Amino acid sequence: LGEKSHDLLITGLAYVSLLVLIESSIGWFRQHVRERLFNVNFWHIPMRLTRAFFRRTLGMLIAEDSDIDGGGVESTRDKVWNIQDHFLFTVVPGYSLIFFAVVACAYVSPMFGVMAFLYSVLDTVFSNSQNNYIRSKITPIAKEIRRWDRRLRERWNNVPTIKCNSVEVKIEKELTEEIQPTLKKDFVVWGCWHPNQVLIQRILGGLSRVIVMLYVGIQTLNGNISIEEATLVIFSLERIATVLFDVGGARRMIQENLVRVRAYEKALTKKPDFDYLEGKEFQSDKMGVEIEMRNVSLSHSMQGKNVQILRNVNLHVKAGERVAIIGPSGAGKSQLTNLILRAFDPSEGVVLIDGINLVGYSLQSFCRFIGHVPQSAEVFEGSIRENVCFGIGEEDAEKITDD
């Protein structure tokens, strides 16, 4: 190196030393924050989802368009972790490197600093427009895929019924045909539109860098800047281009995961139809309760249509009386039972328990007097005693031993 380059060399060494120190400090900070976020996410997200899940009414959970389910806890936690990971380890350090590269260009000449800054801003704006378009297209597609996933899990959970009716081939065909239109929409976005946008972005970015490099070359030939300074500008521009591409990819991943996370965020903030704890405490010192339904009708929203399940039902069951409700599949027997459990409130009419509207009772206290055996019984993980004692008070549970 010539004597004229000594100052530049010293400046470069100082710049690199400072960059290493800053990167090391940022790396320590990122790792520290990463572990703290991991510890929080490990329990905070599952418990928030569980709390929201349990506080919802039974009707909201079993509805066809339910936007939250217990199986989404692990998936949502992974997506939040993925968002944080990309942000901490790609986006933050990426923009830090871009900042130092712009400063390096400005050190050579303010004009080069302005060019590098404008290039970074325009590329970021272009990436933002891409991400916004992708989010608008992917959000409805993601909803369709989640709906299909629920149907798939439902078929898996009812495989004995499917095999006993020998409809395996039919179910496979239905599931395959149902998902195909969604996959085509997804391919239009990721297989056609997105590659074309990436190609356009690469071409425009390449042309912009070529123009800047030509200007750098002219300034070098005219003796306005040295070869070392020209090399610094070119290296910084290439660094900016590489980092912007990586950051753009990370931000797209963040946007994809945010689609699912926002769906759960919306579900978490959605107010339940009613609170299980609100209402009058239910008390009864007799065997059985009197149940009465007066002009009860029930409607559900199914695939965007309002479907009436029950219409003008009148029923009176005396305390201690045994009643069997029979009828063909789909007649509304389960929905009639769900009204007594207050999984739903009737669209019209009232359900009376001992002459008082069920809406006036605290459902938590009322359900302690109800014995309910669903069509598909589940055994919880744990001992037989824990399963037997499930749902009963602590005093009664103490009377039951492992023997």
Side-chain angles (χ1 to χ4, degrees), residues 112-356:
F112 291 131
V114 171
M115 288 181 175
F117 177 75
L118 288 177
Y119 172 74
S120 303
V121 170
L122 292 175
D123 190 273
T124 301
V125 170
F126 191 83
S127 295
N128 280 341
S129 65
Q130 288 181 334
N131 292 336
N132 290 335
Y133 177 84
I134 290 173
R135 185 173 65 250
S136 66
K137 294 297 182 182
I138 288 297
T139 298
I141 294 175
K143 289 182 179 179
E144 293 177 10
I145 292 176
R146 290 198 301 272
R147 189 182 302 114
W148 183 82
D149 284 339
R150 286 197 296 268
R151 288 174 60 83
L152 183 64
R153 289 196 301 269
E154 183 184 65
R155 301 303 186 272
W156 287 349
N157 295 333
N158 291 277
V159 70
T161 303
I162 293 174
K163 295 192 74 65
C164 289
N165 288 276
S166 299
V167 291
E168 298 98 318
V169 176
K170 177 185 175 183
I171 296 299
E172 289 178 12
K173 183 179 179 182
E174 288 178 354
L175 290 171
T176 301
E177 292 177 351
E178 182 180 351
I179 195 61
Q180 291 308 310
T182 304
L183 293 178
K184 290 179 180 178
K185 295 176 186 177
D186 187 75
F187 180 78
V188 168
V189 176
W190 293 113
C192 298
W193 184 86
H194 184 251
N196 293 337
Q197 292 298 306
V198 171
L199 179 62
I200 293 173
Q201 186 177 9
R202 287 291 187 91
I203 292 174
L204 292 177
L207 290 175
S208 301
R209 295 198 303 277
V210 167
I211 292 172
V212 175
M213 289 178 185
L214 285 174
Y215 181 73
V216 170
I218 293 172
Q219 292 297 310
T220 305
L221 292 175
N222 292 336
N224 295 327
I225 61 175
S226 65
I227 296 178
E228 292 82 2
E229 290 174 329
T231 303
L232 178 61
V233 172
I234 294 173
F235 173 79
S236 299
L237 284 174
E238 290 300 318
R239 187 65 171 165
I240 290 173
T242 302
V243 172
L244 280 174
F245 185 79
D246 293 339
V247 169
R251 293 176 74 250
R252 273 190 291 275
M253 292 297 298
I254 290 174
Q255 291 286 359
E256 290 177 40
N257 289 309
L258 276 176
V259 170
R260 180 60 170 163
V261 172
R262 281 170 177 161
Y264 266 80
E265 181 184 13
K266 181 181 178 181
L268 289 171
T269 56
K270 187 175 182 180
K271 189 177 180 180
D273 297 334
F274 55 84
D275 193 326
Y276 275 68
L277 303 177
E278 291 181 355
K280 176 184 176 183
E281 187 80 9
F282 181 82
Q283 298 289 342
S284 180
D285 56 0
K286 60 183 179 180
M287 293 296 294
V289 295
E290 183 180 11
I291 301 172
E292 184 178 1
M293 293 186 180
R294 295 180 183 174
N295 300 319
V296 167
S297 297
L298 178 65
S299 299
H300 280 328
S301 176
M302 295 184 178
Q303 297 180 350
K305 297 181 180 179
N306 194 40
V307 179
Q308 191 168 48
I309 309 298
L310 301 171
R311 182 173 59 185
N312 296 331
V313 175
N314 289 280
L315 177 67
H316 187 202
V317 181
K318 298 179 181 179
E321 187 177 5
R322 296 181 179 180
V323 175
I325 301 174
I326 60 175
S329 179
K333 303 183 297 297
S334 297
Q335 304 294 3
L336 200 65
T337 306
N338 285 332
L339 285 172
I340 299 174
L341 295 171
R342 206 188 172 191
F344 314 97
D345 285 332
S347 306
E348 297 178 8
V350 292
V351 178
L352 304 175
I353 304 297
D354 285 341
I356 299 178

Side-chain angles (χ1 to χ4, degrees), residues 22-177:
I22 293 175
E23 284 186 339
S24 300
S25 301
I26 292 175
W28 176 87
F29 178 76
R30 285 205 319 263
Q31 190 64 33
H32 182 72
V33 173
R34 182 179 185 269
E35 292 306 317
R36 289 183 64 87
L37 289 174
F38 176 79
N39 291 331
V40 171
N41 290 341
F42 191 78
W43 67 269
H44 181 69
I45 293 176
M47 289 312 301
R48 276 203 69 193
L49 289 173
T50 301
R51 191 179 301 114
F53 187 74
F54 284 167
R55 288 184 178 179
R56 287 193 157 196
T57 64
L58 182 59
M60 293 175 70
L61 295 174
I62 64 179
E64 183 182 274
D65 58 350
S66 176
D67 50 6
I68 185 173
D69 58 68
V73 172
E74 184 175 356
S75 173
T76 303
R77 180 173 58 190
D78 289 343
K79 284 176 171 56
V80 171
W81 178 244
N82 188 279
I83 291 171
Q84 294 173 345
D85 213 34
H86 275 96
F87 182 77
L88 287 174
F89 288 89
T90 304
V91 176
V92 171
Y95 280 122
S96 300
L97 291 172
I98 291 172
F99 171 77
F100 283 108
V102 172
V103 170
C105 291
Y107 171 80
V108 175
S109 169
M111 179 60 70
F112 291 131
V114 171
M115 288 181 175
F117 177 75
L118 288 177
Y119 172 74
S120 303
V121 170
L122 292 175
D123 190 273
T124 301
V125 170
F126 191 83
S127 295
N128 280 341
S129 65
Q130 288 181 334
N131 292 336
N132 290 335
Y133 177 84
I134 290 173
R135 185 173 65 250
S136 66
K137 294 297 182 182
I138 288 297
T139 298
I141 294 175
K143 289 182 179 179
E144 293 177 10
I145 292 176
R146 290 198 301 272
R147 189 182 302 114
W148 183 82
D149 284 339
R150 286 197 296 268
R151 288 174 60 83
L152 183 64
R153 289 196 301 269
E154 183 184 65
R155 301 303 186 272
W156 287 349
N157 295 333
N158 291 277
V159 70
T161 303
I162 293 174
K163 295 192 74 65
C164 289
N165 288 276
S166 299
V167 291
E168 298 98 318
V169 176
K170 177 185 175 183
I171 296 299
E172 289 178 12
K173 183 179 179 182
E174 288 178 354
L175 290 171
T176 301
E177 292 177 351

